[in-house]
Amino acid sequence: MQLNKIKKPAILSVLFFLPVIFLLFLYPSTNNYNPLPIVKNQVLDFSNLMSTQTNVQLKEHITVLGFLGTDPESKIVETSNLKELIYDKFQGFKKFQVVMVVANNAEDKTERLTKELSKFEPLKYWNFVNLDSLDTVKLFNSLKSSLVLDNNQATNNVFIIDKDLNQRGRFDDRNKREIKLNQIEYPLYSYDCTMVSELKNKMAAEDLRVLFTEYRQKRKGEFNSTTRRADDLKGATNE
């Protein structure tokens, strides 16, 4: 009888304190995550380019930047994937925007693409910026990429640019299995809009979420840049 009286409070205590202990273990890992690395500094802003009079700017925004070139309408699949998996998820987040670069003579095709993408709601945080061919190449070349623009000055890939005009990405994009097998590191500097899994599982679920967490912590004064700087230097060394 005496044993039963002791057992009951002990069990209740364990049940009460276990979740608390679990949360205490989680707390350090939540606050010591590895921010999304800076893979390239000093991406050009539109104010540095002569062929546009746009008010859109990259600085002070978290931007998903893409290039649709002379035939934006032909990228309906890629832009629809981007809208559904990225834009719809993050629209309304503080200073978030999608910016698509299009050719100066592509107004009609841009307008038709816009109508298609905005069937159900206006694209409030989605901008199209017209550039001539020279400035398009100039902007693209300010990014870190192993890609080249196609004959229409377009690409299926988009880039993440932070508020300080830094390009964000991954120096090491290996999955757990590849790491376990000690395979050679490879980077992820941009995100392929034809690959739903890449947009959904890497860009949305991980990379952009981590970047927004970084800026939220900065606003609260909780962000420690030491880990990020160490990781950035490690990545730069491994290039």
Side-chain angles (χ1 to χ4, degrees):
M1 186 68 178
Q2 188 68 26
L3 185 61
N4 288 334
K5 286 182 179 180
I6 296 172
K7 275 185 177 179
K8 189 174 181 180
I11 292 171
L12 289 173
S13 298
V14 170
L15 291 174
F16 176 79
F17 284 109
L18 268 179
V20 176
I21 294 169
F22 178 70
L23 288 173
L24 287 174
F25 275 110
L26 279 181
Y27 183 79
S29 62
T30 302
N31 288 276
N32 292 320
Y33 72 99
N34 291 328
L36 190 62
I38 293 172
V39 299
K40 179 72 164 56
N41 299 105
Q42 299 179 333
V43 174
L44 287 178
D45 209 340
F46 295 112
S47 58
N48 302 117
L49 304 170
M50 299 296 293
S51 64
T52 183
Q53 301 299 319
T54 184
N55 292 324
V56 175
Q57 61 177 11
L58 303 180
K59 191 170 178 61
E60 301 302 331
H61 291 81
I62 296 174
T63 304
V64 174
L65 177 65
F67 295 80
L68 303 183
T70 60
D71 191 9
E73 208 173 2
S74 69
K75 297 294 184 182
I76 182 62
V77 172
E78 292 83 353
T79 51
S80 294
N81 287 343
L82 186 66
K83 181 184 181 299
E84 181 180 346
L85 299 170
I86 303 300
Y87 178 82
D88 288 350
K89 184 179 180 67
F90 293 101
Q91 64 167 319
F93 275 62
K94 193 173 182 67
K95 294 295 185 179
F96 171 76
Q97 64 178 356
V98 172
V99 177
M100 292 286 130
V101 175
V102 295
N104 277 332
N105 59 353
E107 288 86 355
D108 291 343
K109 293 178 180 179
T110 302
E111 185 177 349
R112 289 195 292 270
L113 176 63
T114 302
K115 286 181 179 178
E116 185 66 29
L117 294 174
S118 59
K119 278 183 177 179
F120 304 107
E121 61 178 335
L123 299 175
K124 185 177 179 181
Y125 306 100
W126 185 304
N127 300 289
F128 293 95
V129 174
N130 295 85
L131 290 179
D132 67 19
S133 58
L134 290 176
D135 278 345
T136 297
V137 172
K138 191 175 180 181
L139 175 59
F140 185 81
N141 287 343
S142 75
L143 299 163
K144 192 172 188 64
S145 178
S146 59
L147 305 171
V148 293
L149 295 174
D150 64 21
N151 292 333
N152 291 325
Q153 292 201 311
T155 176
N156 292 332
N157 288 46
V158 293
F159 304 80
I160 295 176
I161 313 299
D162 71 16
K163 294 182 180 183
D164 300 307
L165 299 178
N166 299 312
Q167 180 185 345
R168 299 295 189 103
R170 306 180 183 193
F171 288 113
D172 185 359
D173 190 37
R174 293 176 299 170
N175 57 37
K176 290 180 180 179
R177 181 176 178 276
E178 291 170 329
I179 293 173
K180 188 175 181 179
L181 293 174
N182 201 29
Q183 294 187 8
I184 297 174
E185 294 180 15
Y186 56 88
L188 181 68
Y189 298 140
S190 61
Y191 305 80
D192 190 342
C193 292
T194 65
M195 298 180 63
V196 170
S197 61
E198 188 160 294
L199 292 179
K200 184 178 180 181
N201 299 327
K202 293 183 180 181
M203 191 176 192
E206 295 183 14
D207 294 2
L208 277 173
R209 180 182 58 80
V210 165
L211 185 56
F212 277 110
T213 299
E214 176 184 326
Y215 278 106
R216 185 169 62 250
Q217 289 189 352
K218 282 180 177 178
R219 288 197 302 272
K220 294 179 178 179
E222 299 172 354
F223 178 69
N224 184 349
S225 64
T226 304
T227 304
R228 187 190 74 187
R229 292 180 186 278
D231 286 347
D232 290 348
L233 288 172
K234 176 179 179 295
T237 303
N238 291 336
E239 286 184 276

